[in-house]
Amino acid sequence: MDPLKEKFKAKAEVLSSEIKDIIKTHGELKLGEITVAQVYQGMRGMPGMVTETSRLDPEEGIRFRGYTIPELRKQLPKAPGGTEPLPEGIFYLMLVGELPSQDDVTFITNEWQKRSNVPKHVFDVIEAMPVDTHPMTQFVLGIMAMQRESVFSKAYAKGMSKKEYWDYAYEDSMNLIARLPRVAAYIYRRKYKGGAHIEPDHKLDWAANFAHMLGYEGLDMKRLMRLYLTIHVDHEGGNVSAHTTHLVGSALSDPYLAFAAGMNGLAGPLHGLANQEVLSWIMELKETLGGGLPTKDQIAEYIKKTLTEGKVVPGYGHAVLRKTDPRFTAQQDFYKTHIKHDDICEIVQMVYEVAPPILESTGKIKNPWPNVDAHSGALLVHYGMHEFDFYTVLFGVSRALGVLASLIWDRATGSPIERPGSLTTDNIKAKIKAAQASASKA
Ligand code: HAX
């Protein structure tokens, strides 16, 4: 058994027995009240699952196993001479709950290199799609084509014991994460670079090799990819991509099936596709004004026009956060440290100054502050990646680390098939009537 697996196994045995005990001893403890509004409005704030890898605070933002993003940017291992963390490190942290050493991270880099070979039929499946198919659709098809290799589903068909689920989920997840950059880069080079593919460089870490296969050789994009792929990994369990992966996995669908489902959710414009939308929205503003930097008044007018047209301002708002997303701040800091001047990044900054009071003045938007997607595209454009509709694939490659680490935990802790109840509006009306009747008696 490899050392990462061994470490995970030891931790999982302890937590699984704690969970059994918690359910047995405190299973009746109430965690909250469910309101009619929550049931109708996307279950906001309703605790409905357990996710070990990260936790979101509305005011403070994300913590991964207790660590904030600024802490992780300092404390996670880096490439030699590097300034940003290696995503391998945050995967280790999410999986075993401890900060990794440099050796732990090197182990994962090597392990992902060993597992990174993508079977030819996967590329054939992608090639069968018209080249203008959205990259997220091609990405999901690539993941589905790799499902043929699932060791989880093969072991299940042979009759594996429940105790072995996590082990096969780990194997599938490690293989899938190892192969995703190659599949994503293949789609990028196919769609935008005339099919001039670039072989992996096994001397590079996972993120740097991804930048290389995409065709970005300088240190700048490698550094950005390390940060990008670290901060997008996870956002606790309730967001659409994480929840979908967890839900589909709960039917014992293997990690390929579960992750592909999650990626279909990430491809929605209210979730991961917002990063593409932000750039299109900014470029439309620039074009309308004939290029150059807009004034703050022009930005304000543009935001108001977006709202009047009944559209959302992409990159702003959040279902849980009530402050600026620390993932936005990390990217802003990256801009100030490494880039210093860029027109699109300046517009992002100006929108940040202008948008919140306008959004707040609508009286209905609960969080007028920027989320992760408000900044990411501007950094990518600066380094030469102008293909906006590819951005969500980058997000997806990163998100794999969090949702698959969680999926391994689900299988290790015996998380059951998810099956919440649902009501009809007639049921709710009946409950309202009953509540009114008992209130009038009291
Ligand atoms: N622009 C305009 N209207 C907005 C808005 C925005 N940025 N954010 C919220 N609203 C509107 C909602 O559409 C809703 O309107 P209706 O009552 O007419 O339906 C109202 O304000 C209340 O919404 P909310 O409670 O504040 O927000 P939700 O929890 O329902 O939705 C969203 C959260 C992130 C989906 C929302 O803020 C939004 O659509 N933002 C723009 C798209 C975006 O940036 N998505 C990425 C989010 C982060 C993420 O997942 N990244 O992957």
Side-chain angles (χ1 to χ4, degrees), residues 63 72 209 291 358 404:
R63 274 182 186 263
L72 290 178
N209 190 32
I358 300 175
L404 291 172

Side-chain angles (χ1 to χ4, degrees), residues 44 235 239 266 269-275 278 306-307 311-320 322 325 327 359 362 364-367 371-374 395 399:
R44 290 295 180 285
H235 222 222
N239 67 78
L266 193 75
L270 296 189
H271 189 18
L273 203 82
N275 57 9
V278 167
T306 304
L307 294 174
K311 298 189 248 175
V312 296
V313 175
Y316 280 74
H318 201 275
V320 180
R322 295 295 175 256
D325 189 333
R327 300 170 299 175
L359 297 179
T362 64
K364 67 170 185 178
I365 299 172
K366 296 190 190 69
N367 178 38
N371 58 58
V372 64
D373 301 313
F395 193 156
R399 188 45 61 98

Side-chain angles (χ1 to χ4, degrees), residues 5-276:
K5 232 178 178 178
E6 233 166 76
K7 185 145 209 159
F8 176 81
K9 184 170 182 278
K11 301 251 169 188
E13 278 165 2
V14 174
L15 188 67
S16 298
S17 100
E18 272 176 7
I19 291 173
K20 277 200 188 94
D21 189 49
I22 288 171
I23 296 171
K24 199 171 147 204
T25 320
H26 305 286
E28 300 307 314
L29 179 74
K30 292 204 166 54
L31 293 178
E33 300 283 334
I34 297 170
T35 65
V36 168
Q38 285 175 311
V39 170
Y40 272 112
Q41 295 182 314
M43 301 191 271
R44 290 295 180 285
M46 185 195 290
M49 74 188 86
V50 175
T51 303
E52 307 293 350
T53 46
S54 66
R55 173 92 173 106
L56 200 50
D57 177 85
E59 302 294 319
E60 186 196 49
I62 189 78
R63 274 182 186 263
F64 300 92
R65 297 282 193 175
Y67 294 94
T68 63
I69 288 176
E71 285 165 355
L72 290 178
R73 282 181 80 193
K74 282 198 192 107
Q75 294 180 44
L76 282 176
K78 301 176 177 60
T83 54
E84 297 301 333
L86 293 169
E88 288 89 328
I90 197 160
F91 178 72
Y92 183 99
L93 175 68
M94 288 187 296
L95 193 67
V96 299
E98 290 173 19
L99 281 178
S101 66
Q102 201 78 38
D103 283 351
D104 294 326
V105 160
T106 304
F107 167 79
I108 297 180
T109 303
N110 292 339
E111 198 59 26
W112 288 350
Q113 278 167 5
K114 270 194 264 164
R115 295 168 181 258
S116 65
N117 185 47
V118 176
K120 182 182 168 297
H121 72 264
V122 176
F123 301 127
D124 294 342
V125 166
I126 294 169
E127 287 294 340
M129 294 303 293
V131 75
D132 62 356
T133 305
H134 193 280
M136 277 304 279
T137 309
Q138 299 193 42
F139 189 52
V140 170
L141 285 167
I143 297 161
M144 288 307 300
M146 288 192 279
Q147 191 273 341
R148 178 180 170 272
E149 268 56 58
S150 169
V151 293
F152 184 97
S153 65
K154 287 191 179 84
Y156 193 86
K158 280 192 192 149
M160 73 169 142
S161 144
K162 285 181 178 180
K163 291 198 180 91
E164 297 174 287
Y165 288 172
W166 74 266
D167 196 337
Y168 289 97
Y170 171 94
E171 290 299 326
D172 270 356
S173 298
M174 292 289 276
N175 290 338
L176 183 47
I177 293 169
R179 292 167 193 172
L180 285 174
R182 178 89 167 106
V183 172
Y186 188 93
I187 293 163
Y188 182 74
R189 303 292 304 177
R190 171 177 190 247
K191 179 154 188 190
Y192 311 109
K193 307 289 171 188
H197 297 293
I198 299 172
E199 289 298 312
D201 178 347
H202 292 305
K203 292 190 295 301
L204 295 172
D205 58 87
W206 186 72
N209 190 32
F210 186 25
H212 157 76
M213 289 187 288
L214 289 165
Y216 297 87
E217 291 306 344
L219 171 66
D220 290 335
M221 191 60 135
K222 292 189 171 82
R223 182 162 51 200
L224 176 60
M225 272 302 113
R226 290 176 186 135
L227 176 69
Y228 189 106
L229 299 175
T230 295
I231 63 175
H232 285 80
V233 286
D234 210 34
H235 222 222
E236 72 169 33
N239 67 78
V240 171
S241 52
H243 187 192
T244 307
T245 306
H246 165 80
L247 167 66
V248 174
S250 83
L252 295 188
S253 304
D254 62 58
Y256 295 85
L257 297 168
F259 179 62
M263 288 301 96
N264 282 309
L266 193 75
L270 296 189
H271 189 18
L273 203 82
N275 57 9
Q276 146 181 344

Side-chain angles (χ1 to χ4, degrees), residues 310-366:
K311 298 189 248 175
V312 296
V313 175
Y316 280 74
H318 201 275
V320 180
L321 288 174
R322 295 295 175 256
K323 283 273 164 68
T324 298
D325 189 333
R327 300 170 299 175
F328 175 89
T329 313
Q331 296 178 92
Q332 202 182 30
D333 177 65
F334 184 96
Y335 166 59
K336 288 179 184 156
T337 310
H338 299 295
I339 299 176
K340 296 189 175 70
H341 192 84
D342 173 275
D343 272 6
I344 310 279
C345 292
E346 288 302 316
I347 296 177
V348 166
Q349 185 58 37
M350 289 166 87
V351 175
Y352 183 32
E353 286 162 35
V354 173
I358 300 175
L359 297 179
E360 204 152 32
S361 72
T362 64
K364 67 170 185 178
I365 299 172
K366 296 190 190 69

